[in-house]
């Protein structure tokens, strides 16, 4: 923490040896293309990663009294899409009906199942493996723990 405090005091006193970077031009055409494809690409990525994560599990339909059962991989896809979009459970049911093909969901998951998803053991196993898969590309790149200084109290 001493290093941080010394850098902070240098920044405050304007004595920190700041090296200015050259300003980069934004290629707006590429930016626009990326923005157009971001949403469908994320949905397809969710579907592919969940499919990969669920391959190692024997997925059984969970029949619940009073409603049809669902496969855990479909539930995981629905909740990850819900979290990406930031929608509540009931709205998500309609939203998922529009994007089922992109996600690779073959049956519509109702809002109540989505609401109770985190209490399903199979869903949690797949989610944990999804998080493991998504960390693999950067696992060896992380050298040390860093913190987000925005949460520190101002003096």
């Amino acid at each position: 923490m001493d290093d941080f405090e010394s850098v902070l005091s240098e920044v405050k006193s304007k004595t920190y040896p700041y090296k200015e970077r050259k300003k980069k031009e934004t290629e707006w055409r590429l930016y626009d293309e990326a923005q157009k494809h971001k949403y469908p690409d994320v949905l397809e990525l969710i579907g592919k990663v969940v499919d990969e994560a669920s391959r190692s599990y024997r997925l059984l339909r969970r029949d619940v009294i009073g409603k049809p059962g669902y496969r855990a991989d479909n539930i995981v896809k629905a909740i990850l899409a819900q979290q990406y979009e930031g929608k509540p459970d009931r709205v998500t049911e309609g939203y998922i009906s529009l994007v089922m093909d992109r996600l690779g969901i073959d049956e519509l998951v109702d809002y109540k199942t989505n609401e109770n998803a985190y209490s399903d053991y199979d869903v949690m196993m797949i989610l944990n493996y999804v998080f493991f898969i998504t960390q693999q590309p950067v696992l060896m790149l992380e050298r040390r723990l860093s913190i987000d200084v925005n949460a520190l109290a101002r003096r």
Side-chain angles (χ1 to χ4, degrees):
M1 201 61 163
D2 292 334
D3 291 340
F4 174 73
E5 289 175 356
S6 67
V7 169
L8 184 61
S9 66
E10 287 177 355
V11 169
K12 285 182 177 181
S13 67
K14 300 187 185 217
T15 60
Y16 182 78
Y18 177 72
K19 296 176 185 165
E20 194 166 334
R21 295 181 184 177
K22 292 180 181 177
K23 192 168 185 171
K24 293 181 181 178
E25 285 292 319
T26 302
E27 294 192 40
W28 291 108
R29 186 186 62 75
L30 295 176
Y31 175 81
D32 289 344
E33 282 298 309
Q35 291 301 308
K36 283 190 271 185
H37 296 286
K38 177 182 174 184
Y39 193 71
D41 288 350
V42 167
L43 294 177
E44 286 179 13
L45 180 64
I46 288 171
K48 288 177 183 177
V49 171
V50 172
D51 287 343
E52 177 65 30
S54 62
R55 274 195 192 108
S56 60
Y57 295 101
R58 183 171 174 228
L59 298 175
L60 302 173
R61 292 179 67 88
R62 289 278 170 91
D63 290 325
V64 180
I65 296 173
K67 64 179 180 178
Y70 297 102
R71 289 195 349 247
D73 58 338
N74 285 335
I75 299 169
V76 172
K77 290 174 186 179
I79 61 176
L80 288 175
Q82 175 188 22
Q83 290 173 357
Y84 177 71
E85 190 62 22
K87 298 205 178 297
D89 294 326
R90 290 179 188 199
V91 175
T92 295
E93 186 175 344
Y95 162 67
I96 295 298
S97 71
L98 297 173
V99 297
M100 287 173 64
D101 292 339
R102 286 276 185 192
L103 288 167
I105 293 178
D106 54 10
E107 59 186 348
L108 186 60
V109 177
D110 72 359
Y111 82 91
K112 203 64 174 167
T113 301
N114 204 37
E115 183 178 288
N116 297 319
Y118 290 104
S119 61
D120 185 312
Y121 178 78
D122 291 334
V123 168
M124 293 307 298
M125 291 297 294
I126 294 171
L127 268 177
N128 284 331
Y129 197 59
V130 164
F131 298 146
F132 175 77
I133 290 171
T134 58
Q135 292 300 308
Q136 289 305 301
V138 296
L139 193 60
M140 299 309 292
L141 299 175
E142 295 177 357
R143 303 267 188 260
R144 61 183 181 181
L145 178 67
S146 64
I147 58 170
D148 180 1
V149 296
N150 291 322
L152 295 178
R154 299 196 186 269
R155 295 181 188 197

